[in-house]
Amino acid sequence: MLALRRASAFLVLLLSAFLPPPQCAQDPGMVHYIYQRFRVMEQGLQKCTQATRAYIQDFREFSKNISIMLGQCQTHTSEYKSAVDNLALRVERAQREIDYLEYLREADLCVESEDKMLAEKLVQEAEEEKKIQTLLNASCDNMLTGIKSLKIVKKTVDTHGSWMKDAVSNSPKVYLLIGSRNNTVWEFANMRALMEDSTKPGPRKLILTHSWQGTGQVIYQGFLFFHNQGTPNEIIKYNLQKRTVEDRMLLPGGAGRALVYQHSPSTYIDLAVDEHGLWAIHSGPGIHGHLVLTKIEPGTLGVEHSWDTPCGSQDAEAAFLLCGVLYVVYSSGGHGLHRITCVYDPRGTIREEDLPNLFFPRRPRSHSMIHYNARDKQLYAWNDGNQIIYKLQTKRKQPLK
């Protein structure tokens, strides 16, 4: 209403601005016209006021209805929330029951899986045992009981080296490999020719196409097997007659990454021969890891089997195999007593109580190499430049009950 009054006052002022001068104010027609215009304007203002009042009333009713509906919505929302919470609890309870049933099912599956894995493991172990028995099934059941004596065959000025005869051939030839890195092999006609420098004819000089690494070389079936210098794990099979490389292989299992024996500072792979054939010995992972024993097929240079042994490389100086059993020689600081304190039998036919104290005759330094010759049944060793033969004492293994 206050706005309406202000609008009327404004119209009066506006119209007064357009009124004729006083001398024309007495004109009846003009007065009537102005009066009519005022009435029209008043009627318009009244209609506007009525419409505004109607709008205000409608808005009040709408606001009231909205308030009522909101109250109803809150009531329904509380009901729905309660229902939803109840449903959530039921779903959670059902999920726990499902999880429990799933746990029972998985437990049954795990038991079945474990039983199956155990059965498969037993089968694999049986097959593995059968394979080992077949692989090492040679007419050899001797075990070492003592080092009987030593014989110094020759003396050189070279601290490191290896010497040997063919482990299976009837040839009397003796081979001398001087140094831990070289490619020259000296072939002597027999043992006497090696012992007596004046014996004629003199040794034959064989220049290899590759140099060896370490002192772990062996001669087997007319071939020289050695670790190729400059490679971590390559074994070369060299034909001494043709003076050519016959074959080569990469020894697996991390071979060549560490010294095989702590007191043999240049040998990373030690090859060996016994009644069962060709073997390789190397150190496993770690600074002073355990020794790994690998059986090699000499014809194809394929790996037949590998064993992780309990024998460590720390304080070790050499090792050899006899009838499929690994004997590792240890010494404290490379001096003093040289003794075999670790023996590993892949077939498990040697019991710990069967092992005697195995000592070597006292030598001032550690051995550069010790290899067993299955034909002569004795050890060929290199110690401080001396080429030595150790005669052995053996006995038959006691069958396991």
Side-chain angles (χ1 to χ4, degrees):
M1 292 301 295
L2 179 61
L4 184 62
R5 291 174 182 174
R6 290 178 179 176
S8 300
F10 175 74
L11 289 174
V12 171
L13 292 175
L14 181 65
L15 291 174
S16 63
F18 292 95
L19 288 178
Q23 60 270 20
C24 300
Q26 301 300 323
D27 188 350
M30 180 61 68
V31 173
H32 179 72
Y33 171 75
I34 292 172
Y35 176 75
Q36 290 294 329
R37 297 302 298 171
F38 267 108
R39 290 196 61 182
V40 170
M41 292 179 65
E42 287 178 353
Q43 291 175 358
L45 290 173
Q46 289 177 356
K47 289 181 180 180
C48 181
T49 301
Q50 293 174 357
T52 301
R53 289 176 178 174
Y55 292 150
I56 292 173
Q57 184 64 31
D58 292 342
F59 180 76
R60 288 176 178 174
E61 293 179 358
F62 175 75
S63 178
K64 181 179 180 181
N65 293 333
I66 290 296
S67 298
I68 295 173
M69 293 176 67
L70 288 176
Q72 294 175 350
C73 286
Q74 290 178 355
T75 302
H76 294 321
T77 300
S78 300
E79 295 176 355
Y80 293 152
K81 185 176 183 301
S82 177
V84 169
D85 291 341
N86 185 35
L87 181 60
L89 291 175
R90 295 175 62 186
V91 170
E92 184 179 358
R93 189 182 305 112
Q95 185 63 45
R96 286 199 300 268
E97 294 177 355
I98 292 173
D99 292 341
Y100 178 69
L101 293 175
E102 184 68 19
Y103 167 76
L104 294 178
R105 188 179 72 85
E106 290 181 355
D108 293 338
L109 290 176
C110 288
V111 171
E112 294 177 0
S113 178
E114 289 178 358
D115 292 342
K116 184 178 179 181
M117 290 176 62
L118 180 60
E120 292 177 351
K121 183 179 180 181
L122 292 175
V123 171
Q124 290 177 356
E125 289 178 351
E127 292 178 350
E128 189 76 9
E129 182 65 23
K130 183 178 179 181
K131 179 181 177 181
I132 293 174
Q133 295 295 337
T134 303
L135 184 64
L136 304 181
N137 186 21
S139 57
C140 180
D141 57 357
N142 291 332
M143 62 176 288
L144 183 64
T145 59
I147 291 88
K148 187 176 181 180
S149 62
L150 69 83
K151 177 182 179 180
I152 298 178
V153 176
K154 189 178 180 65
K155 182 175 179 59
T156 65
V157 297
D158 302 283
T159 305
H160 301 288
S162 62
W163 73 293
M164 68 211 70
K165 295 170 68 176
D166 194 319
V168 295
S169 172
N170 292 323
S171 171
K173 294 180 180 179
V174 182
Y175 298 87
L176 190 69
L177 290 75
I178 299 174
S180 58
R181 294 177 180 85
N182 205 340
N183 69 335
T184 302
V185 177
W186 295 96
E187 180 187 271
F188 294 83
N190 49 46
M191 190 67 71
R192 183 177 179 181
L194 173 67
M195 297 171 63
E196 301 176 1
D197 293 335
S198 59
T199 303
K200 300 297 182 179
R204 187 166 68 127
K205 184 179 182 180
L206 306 177
I207 305 297
L208 308 181
T209 57
H210 296 73
S211 297
W212 66 74
Q213 168 72 44
T215 58
Q217 306 84 21
V218 295
I219 293 179
Y220 185 66
Q221 298 176 341
F223 296 95
L224 173 65
F225 295 84
F226 63 91
H227 177 198
N228 187 19
Q229 181 185 356
T231 67
N233 60 339
E234 185 178 56
I235 306 300
I236 286 184
K237 177 182 179 181
Y238 194 87
N239 192 318
L240 292 174
Q241 297 301 320
K242 297 179 181 179
R243 302 191 185 186
T244 57
V245 174
E246 190 79 10
D247 202 353
R248 62 183 72 203
M249 70 170 292
L250 296 178
L251 193 63
R257 296 179 181 175
L259 292 172
V260 61
Y261 312 119
Q262 182 183 1
H263 299 312
S264 185
S266 59
T267 302
Y268 291 83
I269 298 175
D270 190 15
L271 300 173
V273 174
D274 71 347
E275 291 82 358
H276 295 292
L278 181 62
W279 303 79
I281 309 166
H282 66 87
S283 179
I287 299 176
H288 298 302
H290 288 81
L291 300 183
V292 178
L293 181 63
T294 301
K295 184 72 173 62
I296 300 175
E297 207 292 312
T300 61
L301 290 187
V303 173
E304 295 182 296
H305 203 280
S306 287
W307 295 266
D308 292 325
T309 77
C311 303
S313 63
Q314 187 173 8
D315 287 331
E317 61 181 60
F320 60 92
L321 282 109
L322 188 155
C323 287
V325 178
L326 176 68
Y327 297 86
V328 185
V329 183
Y330 294 88
S331 62
S332 178
H335 305 283
L337 292 177
H338 309 277
R339 56 185 177 178
I340 297 171
T341 57
C342 186
V343 177
Y344 176 72
D345 182 5
R347 294 194 299 169
T349 56
I350 294 182
R351 295 168 298 191
E352 185 175 355
E353 56 268 24
D354 295 333
L355 297 175
N357 292 323
L358 299 172
F359 292 92
F360 282 81
R362 184 179 293 273
R363 301 297 301 168
R365 295 182 181 274
S366 61
H367 292 85
S368 175
M369 55 80 66
I370 301 177
H371 284 168
Y372 172 69
N373 187 288
R375 183 163 58 90
D376 296 345
K377 307 299 182 185
Q378 54 191 10
L379 298 178
Y380 287 67
W382 190 299
N383 184 283
D384 196 24
N386 295 297
Q387 289 75 58
I388 301 172
I389 290 179
Y390 290 107
K391 295 192 178 298
L392 306 176
Q393 291 177 327
T394 60
K395 72 173 184 178
R396 292 176 62 89
K397 301 176 185 176
Q398 297 295 326
L400 293 176
K401 297 180 181 180

